[in-house]
Amino acid sequence: MNTSRIQKKAPPHIRTSRTAPIILLDVIISILPLYFMAYIYYGLRVIVLGAIGALTCFLLNLIASALSSQKVNIYNIAPIVTGLLIPLALPAAIDYSIVICACAFSILVVEMPFGGCGFNFFNPAAAGIAFAAFCWPTSVFTYTEPLVKLPVFGKIVASSYSPAYYLKLGAVPKLDLVDLLTGEFVGPMGTSCVFALIAGFIFLLVRKVINWRTVLSYFVAVIAMFALFPRIHSDSISSVLLELCSGSVIFGGIFMVSEPVTAPKRNIPKYIYGFLIGIFTVLFRYYGGFEQGVAFAVLILNIFSPLLDLYSEKVIYYSRRVRIARKPKSSE
Amino acid sequence: MQENRNLPNDAKTDTFFGSRINRASVLRISRRLTVSVGNLFFKNPILVGGIILSPVISAVTTFRSGVAISIAVIIICIPSIIISELSSKYAPFWVSAIIGALVSALMSVPAYKMISPLSPDIFDNIGIYFPIIMLSSFSSAFTHNRKRRIFIWSVTDVVCAVCGFAFFAILIGSIREILAYGTFNGKLLGIEFKMSGVAMPFFGFILVGFILAIVQKIKNSTVFFKNLIKRRKEVQ
C-alpha cells in the first residue's frame, strides 16, 4: 500500500486562491466609498478617525497576540476592518479617545480573549459601537451638519440630532428623497449614503464575500416590520424609506449581520438568524433607549448563532430519519 | 491520620524548639493554614466559585457599595456558617443546613440596618436577591463540604473566604467608580474622561472575568502558589 500520498500536515488541506486576506481586502474596498462620501460631507477629519481606528485595532491585536503567546501575524488585516467599521457608525465630530476606547474594547475584550480573528463569538465592530453608545451616549448620538468641514484637531461641539431621533419622538423629519439616498442629512458619518452602501453590497455579493441569505432575510424582516408597524403618521412606503435610510439599518445589514465568523454556517439557520436580527433591530429602535438598534440586535443574535446551527442539524437529522422510515421498502 | 502519613518520618518524632508540640503537628497546622489562606484567592467565592457574583456585578459600582456588601457578607455568613458547623456535630446534615439558612436570614436584618447608612441604594439595586443569594450559595458552599469536620478550620476557611470576597468586591467597586464617575470614595479625582457604561452590569462581568484571568495567570506561573496548590491537594 502506497502511503506516500497521505498528508501529515495540519488542516486545511484544501486551499483555494480566495484566502482570508483577500476576502478582508474585499471588505476594505467595499468600505472605501463610504469613507469617500464621508470625506465629501465632513472633510479630512473622517479619514483621520478611520486611520486612528484601524491603527488602534491593528496595534492592539499585535500586542494582545504577543502577550497571549499566540502567533504574531503582521499580515492579519482583520483588525483593520474592525477599526475602519467602528468610526463609520459614529458621528464625524466624535472625540478620538472614544474611537480608541471602542476599538480597544472590540479587540481586547471581544476578539482576543476568544482566540482572535475567526474565533470570536461576537461581532467586534458591533460590540465596539455598542460599548461607545453605552459609555458616551451624548457624544455618540449628537451630530454635526453635513457639508460643513470639520477641523482635524480640537474639540467640536455637536448639537444636531439625526432623523432617527425625531422618528423615535414620533415626529416626521422633512427630508428629500435625493437627500435620503445620498446621505446629505444629519447622522453617523458613514452609514447614511445609501448609494455607497449599495455599491459596497453589490461588490461584496459579486465577490461572494457575504452570504445573500442572511442579508435578504434581515431586510425582509426589517421592511416588513417598518411597513406593518409604522411609528409615524404616514403611509407605509414613507415609513419604510425614512426608517431604513435614517440610521444604521442598511449599514448594519451589509457589514455586521453578514459577517461570516459570527453568523450561522448552515443555510436554514442563516435565514432565521437574519430574520430575527431584523425583528430585534426594529424592536430596539422602537422601544430601546437609543435611536439605533442594529448593533445590539446583532450582539444578541450572536449568542444564539451556534445554537441555531446545532438545532438545525438535529432537525435535519430527524427529518431524514422520518423520511427514510416512511419510504416504502422495495419488494424483491 | 491521613495528613501524618504524608509527613517526613523525622517530623513525626521531632519536638518543636524544645516544646511539647512536635514538629509533625506544626507542619500539619502550617499546611492546613495555607489551605485556608488559599481561600483568599484560589477558593475565593467570587473568582473561583462564581457565587455571590450577581450582587457584585449589579450593585458594586462604587468603593462604598463594595465596602457595604462586604460588611453584609461578614455579618450574615460568618455567624450562620459557624452555627451550622456547630449544629452539624449534634444533628443530621439536612438539619444543620436549615439552621444555617435560618441564621443567615435572621442576620440579614442587622446587616440591612448597618449598611443602609453607608450605601442607601445597595438594597434597591439587588432587592430580594440579597437574602436569597446569601442563603443558597455562600452558606451551602461550606456546609456541603463533608470533609471539614474540624470546627476551627471551618471557621478559618470562612473568615479567609469572606476576606477574599471583601478584597475583590472593594477592588471591583473602586475600579468601576474611578472609570465610571471619575471619583474615589465620592471624592473627585480630576479625571474628565468618564465611561458611564462601566457602571452597567455587563462591564461587571467583563471586569470579574479579567480579574479571574489575572489570578489564574498568577496562580499558574508563580512558584509559591504552585506549592500552595500542591499542599492543598496533599491535605484534601
Side-chain angles (χ1 to χ4, degrees):
Chain A
M1 191 178 163
N2 185 16
T3 56
S4 62
R5 291 181 70 186
I6 294 171
Q7 287 192 21
K8 290 177 182 175
K9 285 190 292 184
H13 300 300
I14 302 165
R15 290 177 187 276
T16 62
S17 58
R18 289 187 58 74
T19 55
I22 288 172
I23 291 167
L24 291 164
L25 207 63
D26 285 343
V27 180
I28 292 173
I29 290 167
S30 68
I31 291 168
L32 290 179
L34 300 174
Y35 270 97
F36 177 72
M37 291 307 291
Y39 169 73
I40 288 171
Y41 290 137
Y42 300 104
L44 195 64
R45 188 182 170 85
V46 294
I47 308 296
V48 179
L49 277 169
I52 285 174
L55 199 68
T56 307
C57 287
F58 183 71
L59 290 176
L60 285 175
N61 182 64
L62 289 184
I63 293 165
S65 300
L67 285 175
S68 59
S69 311
Q70 288 180 20
K71 190 185 171 187
V72 180
N73 182 10
I74 56 164
Y75 300 107
N76 180 16
I77 55 170
I80 294 175
V81 175
T82 308
L84 286 173
L85 281 174
I86 289 171
L88 285 174
L90 301 174
I94 195 112
D95 202 41
Y96 293 131
S97 54
I98 294 174
V99 175
I100 291 169
C101 282
C103 291
F105 182 84
S106 65
I107 296 295
L108 297 179
V109 176
V110 180
E111 195 167 316
M112 291 311 289
F114 297 103
C117 174
F119 298 99
N120 46 303
F121 281 106
F122 298 99
N123 187 315
I129 293 160
F131 181 70
F134 272 128
C135 289
W136 306 277
T138 318
S139 304
V140 170
F141 295 114
T142 46
Y143 308 92
T144 51
E145 295 287 336
L147 296 172
V148 177
K149 302 289 177 203
L150 300 174
V152 175
F153 299 106
K155 192 158 182 153
I156 301 157
V157 180
S159 55
S160 302
Y161 294 100
S162 74
Y165 175 76
Y166 293 108
L167 284 167
K168 194 162 181 61
L169 294 177
V172 183
K174 285 184 179 175
L175 285 169
D176 190 9
L177 184 65
V178 179
D179 288 349
L180 261 180
L181 296 176
T182 53
E184 199 184 321
F185 58 88
V186 177
M189 70 182 206
T191 65
S192 47
C193 182
V194 179
F195 286 135
L197 286 165
I198 290 171
F201 174 60
I202 292 167
F203 177 76
L204 291 174
L205 215 56
V206 169
R207 295 282 294 167
K208 292 181 181 171
V209 174
I210 59 171
N211 192 289
W212 61 269
R213 291 174 182 86
T214 325
V215 183
L216 178 78
S217 57
Y218 168 77
F219 280 113
V220 165
V222 165
I223 291 168
M225 287 287 281
F226 285 144
L228 293 172
F229 310 105
R231 57 179 168 174
I232 51 167
H233 297 289
S234 178
D235 59 310
S236 294
I237 297 168
S238 305
S239 164
V240 170
L241 268 176
L242 278 169
E243 296 276 8
L244 270 182
C245 303
S246 62
S248 311
V249 176
I250 301 174
F251 174 79
I254 296 167
F255 293 104
M256 290 184 206
V257 177
S258 61
E259 199 220 6
V261 176
T262 52
K265 307 293 175 282
R266 285 183 168 274
N267 285 342
I268 294 169
K270 275 177 188 166
Y271 288 115
I272 300 166
Y273 176 77
F275 194 81
L276 287 175
I277 290 179
I279 290 170
F280 271 91
T281 302
V282 177
L283 290 176
F284 270 113
R285 275 174 75 98
Y286 280 14
Y287 304 109
F290 304 120
E291 64 207 47
Q292 310 290 354
V294 65
F296 306 111
V298 168
L299 290 174
I300 284 179
L301 262 295
N302 282 166
I303 302 165
F304 297 103
S305 176
L307 282 176
L308 287 172
D309 267 335
L310 183 75
Y311 285 109
S312 78
E313 275 175 24
K314 283 186 178 177
V315 168
I316 290 164
Y317 173 71
Y318 284 113
S319 65
R320 272 180 193 164
R321 280 187 66 178
V322 168
R323 216 183 302 149
I324 292 163
R326 283 180 183 174
K327 204 174 176 182
K329 286 175 184 175
S330 58
S331 58
E332 290 179 0
Chain B
M1 290 302 288
Q2 197 185 355
E3 291 166 17
N4 269 334
R5 254 182 266 139
N6 297 327
L7 295 170
N9 286 329
D10 57 335
K12 290 174 189 170
T13 52
D14 282 6
T15 54
F16 188 68
F17 293 108
S19 66
R20 288 179 68 188
I21 308 164
N22 66 1
R23 204 175 136 207
S25 59
V26 172
L27 276 171
R28 194 172 61 245
I29 290 165
S30 70
R31 281 181 182 182
R32 189 60 186 80
L33 200 63
T34 51
V35 173
S36 293
V37 173
N39 283 343
L40 279 170
F41 295 99
F42 305 133
K43 221 187 163 190
N44 188 271
I46 299 178
L47 293 176
V48 179
I51 54 175
I52 330 188
L53 203 61
S54 47
V56 173
I57 283 159
S58 63
V60 178
T61 54
T62 58
F63 172 78
R64 278 192 183 190
S65 58
V67 172
I69 206 158
S70 302
I71 290 170
V73 168
I74 289 165
I75 292 169
I76 293 170
C77 289
I78 292 179
S80 69
I81 292 166
I82 287 172
I83 290 167
S84 66
E85 279 290 334
L86 276 173
S87 62
S88 66
K89 289 188 176 179
Y90 307 103
F93 171 70
W94 63 273
V95 175
S96 66
I98 291 171
I99 289 168
L102 284 171
V103 172
S104 63
L106 201 68
M107 293 309 289
S108 63
V109 179
Y112 174 77
K113 293 283 179 195
M114 273 193 79
I115 68 168
S116 288
L118 196 67
S119 180
D121 58 339
I122 192 145
F123 276 98
D124 296 332
N125 287 344
I126 33 179
I128 190 68
Y129 294 106
F130 187 75
I132 289 171
I133 289 159
M134 290 302 152
L135 297 182
S136 64
S137 55
F138 202 96
S139 53
S140 63
F142 290 94
T143 50
H144 279 182
N145 196 339
R146 305 289 293 167
K147 282 183 182 173
R148 282 197 201 85
R149 302 305 298 172
I150 303 166
F151 174 72
I152 189 71
W153 291 123
S154 299
V155 175
T156 318
D157 283 354
V158 172
V159 170
C160 287
V162 167
C163 289
F165 175 89
F167 174 74
F168 284 108
I170 293 166
L171 179 74
I172 289 165
S174 306
I175 292 169
R176 288 175 87 175
E177 187 180 352
I178 291 166
L179 292 175
Y181 309 115
T183 59
F184 181 72
N185 195 19
K187 287 169 189 164
L188 281 169
L189 295 175
I191 301 166
E192 285 187 13
F193 192 72
K194 296 164 194 168
M195 296 190 275
S196 58
V198 171
M200 290 181 173
F202 82 92
F203 200 85
F205 277 109
I206 292 165
L207 198 60
V208 169
F210 269 88
I211 291 173
L212 176 59
I214 291 164
V215 169
Q216 289 290 331
K217 184 78 179 170
I218 294 165
K219 183 178 150 185
N220 294 337
S221 59
T222 315
V223 178
F224 168 74
F225 289 120
K226 274 181 184 172
N227 290 335
L228 202 71
I229 295 158
K230 200 177 167 185
R231 283 183 184 182
R232 169 186 285 281
K233 280 175 184 168
E234 279 174 14
V235 172
Q236 289 184 344

